[in-house]
Amino acid sequence: MQTTSILLGTRKGTFIVRRSEDRWVPQLSGHAGAGSNFVARDPNTGTLWAALGHGHWGAKLSRSTDDGATWEDAAQIKYPEGARYIAPPDPTIEDDTRVRYLDATVLKLWILAFGGDGRIYVGTIPGGLFVSRDGGESFELNLPLWNHESRGGDLFAGDGSGRTAWFGTPASEGGEFAPGIHSIVVDPRRPERILVAISTAGVLESTDGGQSWRSRNKGLMMDYLPDPDAEWGHDPHYVELCAGDPDHMWQQNHCGVFYSSDGAATWSKVSQPEQGVHFGFPVAVDPREGRTAWVVPGKADAQRMAIDGGLFVARTTDGGRSWQAQRQGLPQQNAYDVVYRHALACDGDRLAFGSTTGNLYISEDRGEHWQTVANNLPPIYSVRFG
Amino acid sequence: MTKVELTTHLHAFFPVLAGRELLVEASTVAEVIDRLEAMAPGFAFYVCDERGRLRRHVNVFVGDEMIADRRRLSDPVGPDSRVFIAQALSGG
């Protein structure tokens, strides 16, 4: 059954868009004035969760058990005493060759995910995956990922290797340059299989509930490294799987669109730059048909805007071999919408996406036709059905 | 007793601290935060990060002076002190 509400995280609060007769009506539903990075409903409990960035007051987790009528601070995500990380080279410091160990504090809560086993996951900057096994009453840092050899080893015990393959993103609340987990995918068939994607490192997979992790970056081509086939250094923007056929995975990467039909064991580049399908942030996957996916292309990394002022969604139904531009109902002149990584969602035949210019668009027919639901919302960070 | 005043922005998050005179027994700013945390659980994590450091965009004044020790909040306070906690004006 299709859901009849859409949850929006925006720069100025949490909105809920509800179906009222034949219209979609957005309403500010909490956290007025605060940044709401990601809002989602836990399908196991019905609780709504919001990952907030309060600016002055830091990152906070908020929850609602009454469909957004009231919100309360949840158990807070905190890095444990002694948690350190090796800072990526600071691009603002010339010839920055020092190894700098930083005490970890939460710089951003970026994404939430829910496992079929009831676990709740939170991805953060500076690169910590937090897990709750008690329905969100408490969260703890996943240490095997935090201590992974790719980021220098166990820095609780010592100084590790002194080398990290996890580089930074400036997406933290205060602009600090640090790695960030923006994608968490839990396999609907087996909740012990979890994948995370990191800007900037790549994709890692655990098949034992988070006790061990391995890289899943084979086939990703990196345009900005001397070795395009490097194991690390990749910049996935968002990773999603097909709920009904979870070996089919999609990735909108800084360097193109990638598709895997073998559970992320190998990736294939399926961009078609001549059709504009290359750069972007989000990707949505059909929940039943793993070869069908949607992206919202931008011009390029150096021009993060709709291509030539005409906004479109691109859909493939054949695993990326061909793409169709879907423009009906979307502005085709003077539109410069940018759609962030969490701001496109698919729920059966219905899709929705929101942009940093505060526009929200919905399609009821798999992207063939779009309607504009709102034009003057705050910059939209996340769009989720639920 | 040290008198504490808060920006109204914090009252919105912690209504239990609003509309009343806040008087605490404390000898340092860190102890002031501890007392407020006891009155309003969660308060300390709004003002400080999980390492106990004052958040970058928060200011604490003792009298008219901004505190010097933002890492450990060891600045002394006395029974006649007035402590003011507010968001830093960061421009814009």
Side-chain angles (χ1 to χ4, degrees):
Chain A
M1 192 183 80
Q2 281 193 319
T3 48
T4 54
S5 62
I6 302 170
L7 310 168
L8 306 183
T10 83
R11 184 167 172 178
K12 297 293 179 185
T14 297
F15 290 73
I16 300 180
V17 189
R18 292 188 173 88
R19 183 92 172 162
S20 174
E21 297 177 358
D22 60 344
R23 292 176 58 230
W24 289 95
V25 181
Q27 183 178 19
L28 178 62
S29 301
H31 315 119
S36 183
N37 296 327
F38 191 87
V39 185
R41 186 187 297 275
D42 183 344
N44 300 305
T45 62
T47 298
L48 299 182
W49 293 85
L52 306 180
H54 272 301
H56 299 90
W57 317 112
K60 299 287 179 291
L61 202 53
S62 181
R63 67 179 174 185
S64 172
T65 55
D66 55 12
D67 270 342
T70 61
W71 294 82
E72 60 177 4
D73 274 9
Q76 291 306 324
I77 304 287
K78 297 179 182 180
Y79 278 86
E81 188 76 36
R84 299 187 302 158
Y85 65 104
I86 300 171
D90 187 335
T92 67
I93 300 174
E94 201 172 341
D95 297 327
D96 184 28
T97 56
R98 297 163 300 151
V99 178
R100 290 179 297 133
Y101 295 89
L102 301 181
D103 289 330
T105 59
V106 176
L107 303 177
K108 179 170 187 155
L109 305 175
W110 212 353
I111 187 171
L112 287 131
F114 310 96
D117 53 1
R119 288 190 188 184
I120 302 172
Y121 296 91
V122 182
T124 74
I125 300 176
L129 175 68
F130 286 80
V131 187
S132 175
R133 296 177 178 81
D134 55 11
E137 296 303 315
S138 64
F139 289 86
E140 65 178 352
L141 179 64
N142 177 278
L143 290 176
L145 184 63
W146 182 254
N147 294 336
H148 198 265
E149 59 184 12
S150 60
R151 57 183 323 189
D154 183 357
L155 305 184
F156 288 95
D159 283 347
S161 68
R163 293 171 60 85
T164 180
W166 290 31
F167 301 115
T169 167
S172 63
E173 305 289 356
E176 299 93 338
F177 197 70
I181 298 176
H182 50 62
S183 303
I184 305 170
V185 172
V186 184
D187 191 326
R189 299 167 302 189
R190 318 181 258 138
E192 65 276 13
R193 177 172 177 252
I194 310 150
L195 293 105
V196 297
I198 291 110
S199 288
T200 301
V203 178
L204 292 103
E205 179 187 45
S206 174
T207 54
D208 55 13
Q211 297 176 59
S212 64
W213 297 85
R214 60 179 168 177
S215 71
R216 284 303 209 181
N217 299 315
K218 193 172 175 53
L220 295 182
M221 301 302 286
M222 164 47 96
D223 298 340
Y224 300 96
L225 290 176
D227 175 8
D229 203 20
E231 183 175 16
W232 302 105
H234 300 280
D235 190 16
H237 284 174
Y238 191 61
V239 170
E240 190 61 277
L241 57 62
C242 173
D245 199 356
D247 285 337
H248 291 258
M249 300 195 63
W250 289 83
Q251 174 175 165
Q252 173 68 66
N253 186 294
H254 196 106
C255 299
V257 181
F258 292 84
Y259 167 61
S260 172
S261 59
D262 57 10
T266 58
W267 296 93
S268 300
K269 192 170 187 173
V270 294
S271 297
Q272 288 203 354
E274 63 280 7
Q275 290 183 261
V277 178
H278 183 69
F279 186 83
F281 292 97
V283 59
V285 186
D286 188 292
R288 293 162 305 223
E289 167 49 53
R291 294 181 303 164
T292 297
W294 292 261
V295 295
V296 189
K299 175 90 173 171
D301 56 353
Q303 283 186 41
R304 298 174 182 207
M305 52 173 64
I307 300 169
D308 300 330
L311 181 62
F312 69 98
V313 174
R315 181 182 68 187
T316 178
T317 57
D318 55 11
R321 278 202 285 274
S322 64
W323 293 89
Q324 300 82 44
Q326 299 183 309
R327 298 179 183 270
Q328 280 201 44
L330 296 175
Q332 295 304 304
Q333 287 186 319
N334 292 317
Y336 293 95
D337 296 55
V338 174
V339 180
Y340 276 173
R341 69 196 79 225
H342 302 137
L344 166 68
C346 174
D347 180 39
D349 291 341
R350 183 176 289 154
L351 287 103
F353 70 99
S355 71
T356 58
T357 31
N359 300 323
L360 179 69
Y361 307 101
I362 294 179
S363 169
E364 305 285 355
D365 56 4
R366 304 173 70 74
E368 297 288 343
H369 304 85
W370 294 91
Q371 59 174 303
T372 303
V373 171
N375 282 121
N376 299 298
L377 295 174
I380 295 170
Y381 293 157
S382 81
V383 175
R384 286 294 179 269
F385 290 95
Chain B
M1 299 280 273
T2 301
K3 184 178 179 186
V4 185
E5 294 177 18
L6 306 175
T7 170
T8 55
H9 199 170
L10 283 168
H11 291 158
F13 298 119
F14 299 99
V16 68
L17 300 177
R20 56 187 280 197
E21 193 170 48
L22 295 172
L23 297 170
V24 300
E25 295 265 10
S27 61
T28 63
V29 170
E31 290 180 12
V32 169
I33 304 294
D34 286 347
R35 304 292 175 270
L36 293 172
E37 171 70 18
M39 298 161 74
F43 178 86
F45 195 51
Y46 273 66
V47 176
C48 300
D49 66 22
E50 58 263 61
R51 296 285 83 80
R53 301 175 298 202
L54 197 63
R55 291 189 184 277
R56 187 195 292 182
H57 299 292
V58 177
N59 280 336
V60 177
F61 295 84
V62 178
D64 292 330
E65 293 292 322
M66 197 182 292
I67 63 169
D69 181 4
R70 298 177 66 92
R71 296 187 68 84
R72 290 177 294 125
L73 313 184
S74 62
D75 293 55
V77 300
D80 297 326
S81 299
R82 170 180 167 271
V83 173
F84 181 58
I85 303 175
Q87 63 269 51
L89 284 184
S90 308

